[in-house]
Each structure stands twice: as C-alpha cells, then as structure tokens.
Amino acid sequence: MTTKPKMWVPGDWNAFFGFGTNILVNLLTLTGLLRFVLKMPDNLVFSRILPATGLMLCLSTLYYAWLAWKLAQKTGRSDVCALPSGISVPHMFVVTFVIMLPISLKTGDPVKGWEAGLTWVFIQSFVLMVGGFVAPVIRKITPRAALLGTLAGVSITFISMRPALEMFMTPLIGFACFAIILLSWFGGVRYRGIPAGLVAIAVGCVIAWGSTAFGSSYGGMSLAGLKDSFTNFGFRIPLPAFDHVFSGFQFLGVILVTAIPFGIYDLVEAIDNVESAAVAGDSFPTTRVLTADGVISLIGCLMGNPFINAVYIGHPGWKAMGGRIGYSAATGLTVIVLCWMGTISLMLALIPTVAILPILLYIGMLIGSQAFQETPKSHAPAIMLALIPNLASWAISQINGTLSAAGVIVGGLSHDQMEALVAKMKTEGVLYHGLQILGGGAILGGAYPGSDGCLHH
C-alpha cells in the first residue's frame, strides 16, 4: 500500500530547530570571519555576501526537500528524510585563511580577497558538476566502512570538537542545554510539545542574559551589543557579482592550487553523505546530488557568495529525531528571511553561541556511531584507520589558527621562512610537516586506507 507523502509531520519541528540552529551557527561563524578576520566592511557583508548566501542556502534546501518528496512518491514510503545541506564548514575556513586572507593582506583590499573567494567557488562548482557523473562508480567500488569511517573522522574533529570545547569553557550554559537535548532525543522526554532544540536555546538565553543582569556577563551578552546589532537591519536582495567573479581570475595561480583538490574533496564527501543516507534507508541519486551542489554553488558565487554549498553530514540524526521533508524547506525559507532582512547581526547579539553548539555535538555523536553500527564488526580496524587523516587535518587547522592569532599567516610566508618555522616546531615535538602530509585531502586520505583495510581483511 502506497502512502501519499506529507510535506510536514510533527517530527519536522524537532529537525527544523535542530538543523536550523546548525545552519545559524555556520552563518554566525562566517559573519564573524568576514567582519573580524577579513575586516570586510559591514556594508559588503550584510548588503552583498549574506543575501547571496541566503539565496544559495534556500535553493539548496528547497531542492533537497523536492528530491525527498520525489523519492517518497516513488517508493510509497512516509519516512523519507531530506538530505541536509548548507555551507561546507571545512571549506569555510580554507577559503578564509588560505585564499581570502592572504590576498586581502597582500593587496591591502578586503574586496580583492572577496573576489578571489568568488573565483575559488566558481572553479569548484564545475569540478562538482563534472564529478557528479563519475561519482556513482566511485561509490559502487568503495567499501562502506571506508566511506562511513571517513565521515566519523569528520564528525569527531570538525563537528564535535569545537562544540565540546566551548561547552567546557562555559559549562553552566553548555551542559544545561546539552542535558535538555539528550533527555529529549535519547531519553524520550517531551517538553509539552515544544521542540527540544528551542527549549535548549531558550534556557541558554535565560542563563546568559540573567547573568548579564547581575553583572557577570556569563555567555558574553550585552545590551550595548544588542543595540548596535539593529544598525544592520534592512531589506536587501542579492545583486549579480559577475564582474567581481571574473576580477578574481587575476589570482588564478593561487586559487587553482586549492580549488581543484578541494573540489575533489567535496566530491568524495558528498558521496560519503549520500551513502550515509542510504544506510539510514533513503537512497538518493548520487549524480543529481553532486550536480545540484555544483549548480547551486555556481549561482551563489555569481550573486556574491564566496562559500561552497555541500550536502551535509547528519542525515541519520535528523531522521532519527523525526525529520522528513518539511524541515529542509522550512529551514531554507527561514534562512533567506534572516539573511535578506539583516537579522543575522541581531542573532549574534541575542543568542549565546554555546546554547546552540550542543546540537552539533549530538549530530557528531550519531554520525560517529553509525560508522561502527552499520558495518561488519571485522571492519572496525579499517574505520579506525579512516579516522586518522581527519585527526591530522583538524590538528593542522588548530596550529594554523594559533599562528594566525600570533600574527603569522602561513600562506604569506616564503618557502625559507616556512621551513625555518617547521624546523622550530619539530624541536618542540610538533611534526607539522607530517600532519600536513597525513591531513592533506583528509576525506580522500581516510577513504583510501579505510578501503585498503577492508580489502586486506
């Protein structure tokens, strides 16, 4: 008996607040990178970049909701969950620190850095579109343990570590919000029909603003910051940025060094995430997913967004909490309103980030678990092997971030300066060069030894 798919079910509320806050965290992070690291003027950030980012995210989430609707119609199932998608978080930091920041510093013009970022996404978009046609073959010949093991590595490092660290830094808010989420999504506790994600954020806001009222500012909230955030309010739609995209081609030599390899990285990461969804019961066409990522990223960059779109890790998590089709579409429509109305600035000032981060830690837990639960026990060593390159990649990101905070931009050093720095680190027990080699292209680096481990077993 076939069941007509529903656009919205009660479980979509939980997934909407969970996934929506995930997207919000990423938007707040990239806004911080643009304003405080790249020193881009607010007019550029809130009038050009964020409206284009909102458009891209809306197109992506609506497309994947439609794809889930079609799958539900085809199979007659009512439990199909849409693929989550959004800005690729590792690439957000790569394009910021490897492309936009060095070029901004070299030229003394943050607009030039933005243009280079647009060109970087432009090239990656075509790598994804072309790669979409070979992706099904790669997925077919690569063992599941290698694909899911690599995702587990990403979930431990780039998804789980920062939320965990920030929770320990602000434990009163972090652990209170995390307990609310665990009680609901693992323990079955219900909060009178209110989604657990919303309850957690509300409790975090009450603690943070309550502490501010008593003069301790626990959570970093302030009335002055809230007042200033209203200056960025106003309706803004994205404007074509074709001239800026092609202006960035003057930095093509620097851009190609990373754009093509990271385009391939995106390709393999998307294959991993499609496989993860298939394990959870929803098989989406790999070629459609990858070409959609490429086309949507291309539209985004031509309108002024310097960040790549990607299918997200986390489908099993949103499905487990009841998400189906509507959560994805609702998130996209909400995000476009936030970005086009300049509301992101208000969110930065109103909500303590640490109240949102436990949701990411929850998703990281589920994805890491899936690698071991959905593969044969004998493949566990291969999964462990697939984790290691991502640990190295995360360590490199931490070291580069530390150097940047100390005023040393890795991308701006000469070969001799870099060699001298690497030698000094080695004397302190930090094998930077080894981490570079092991962590470079971590998605591919994890999939290969993971596959080798499965085959040899």
Side-chain angles (χ1 to χ4, degrees), residues 351-396:
I351 302 172
T353 306
V354 69
I356 303 173
L357 293 177
I359 296 171
L360 299 186
L361 182 55
Y362 166 80
I363 293 299
M365 290 164 56
L366 284 183
I367 297 303
S369 302
Q370 186 192 45
F372 293 95
Q373 292 169 345
E374 302 296 340
T375 54
K377 288 183 179 180
S378 60
H379 288 179
I383 293 171
M384 293 302 298
L385 198 58
L387 298 177
I388 295 172
N390 285 287
L391 296 174
S393 179
W394 183 78
I396 277 287

Side-chain angles (χ1 to χ4, degrees), residues 42-62:
D42 279 358
N43 187 54
L44 177 60
V45 174
F46 292 101
S47 297
R48 298 298 305 271
I49 297 176
L50 283 178
T53 304
L55 174 64
M56 182 188 78
L57 291 173
C58 186
L59 290 174
S60 177
T61 50
L62 288 177

Side-chain angles (χ1 to χ4, degrees), residues 119-352:
T119 306
W120 193 76
V121 175
F122 182 85
I123 293 168
Q124 276 200 290
S125 299
F126 284 97
V127 175
L128 282 172
M129 284 186 271
V130 173
F133 294 95
V134 299
V137 178
I138 297 172
R139 184 180 168 198
K140 187 176 181 180
I141 64 175
T142 308
R144 176 168 286 178
L147 296 175
L148 298 185
T150 302
L151 281 191
V154 175
S155 75
I156 290 169
T157 52
F158 291 100
I159 294 179
S160 301
M161 282 301 294
R162 185 181 179 94
L165 294 173
E166 293 210 23
M167 282 168 54
F168 273 89
M169 289 165 61
T170 319
L172 182 59
I173 297 175
F175 285 113
C177 296
F178 194 44
I180 290 167
I181 288 166
L182 291 182
L183 284 170
S184 175
W185 295 341
F186 280 141
V189 174
R190 296 289 177 263
Y191 302 107
R192 297 183 180 274
I194 303 172
L198 182 58
V199 174
I201 292 170
V203 169
C205 286
V206 168
I207 296 172
W209 283 103
S211 71
T212 298
F214 287 99
S216 62
S217 192
Y218 192 76
M221 301 291 99
S222 72
L223 289 175
L226 185 61
K227 182 180 177 181
D228 291 343
S229 70
F230 284 94
T231 60
N232 294 306
F233 261 33
F235 182 68
R236 304 172 181 92
I237 60 173
L239 300 172
F242 304 150
D243 53 337
H244 293 289
V245 173
F246 293 108
S247 178
F249 271 85
Q250 64 182 292
F251 307 108
L252 190 61
V254 177
I255 290 167
L256 284 176
V257 173
T258 55
I260 293 176
F262 275 97
I264 297 170
Y265 171 108
D266 276 331
L267 182 74
V268 180
E269 183 180 38
I271 295 170
D272 289 350
N273 291 331
V274 172
E275 181 66 20
S276 177
V279 170
D282 299 330
S283 295
F284 293 98
T286 313
T287 299
R288 277 196 184 186
V289 168
L290 282 157
T291 50
D293 274 351
V295 170
I296 291 168
S297 296
L298 180 62
I299 293 170
C301 83
L302 290 174
M303 300 303 288
N305 168 60
F307 302 101
I308 199 84
N309 184 75
V311 171
Y312 267 6
I313 187 174
H315 169 278
W318 308 127
K319 184 167 184 172
M321 66 176 69
R324 296 297 178 256
I325 298 170
Y327 88 95
S328 180
T331 299
L333 294 173
T334 302
V335 164
I336 203 169
V337 171
L338 293 177
C339 291
W340 286 17
M341 295 302 297
T343 319
I344 297 299
S345 178
L346 175 62
M347 295 293 180
L348 272 169
L350 188 62
I351 302 172

Side-chain angles (χ1 to χ4, degrees), residues 65-78:
W66 175 81
L67 206 59
W69 175 271
K70 298 297 288 185
L71 180 62
Q73 279 189 322
K74 180 181 177 181
T75 60
R77 290 166 42 219
S78 60

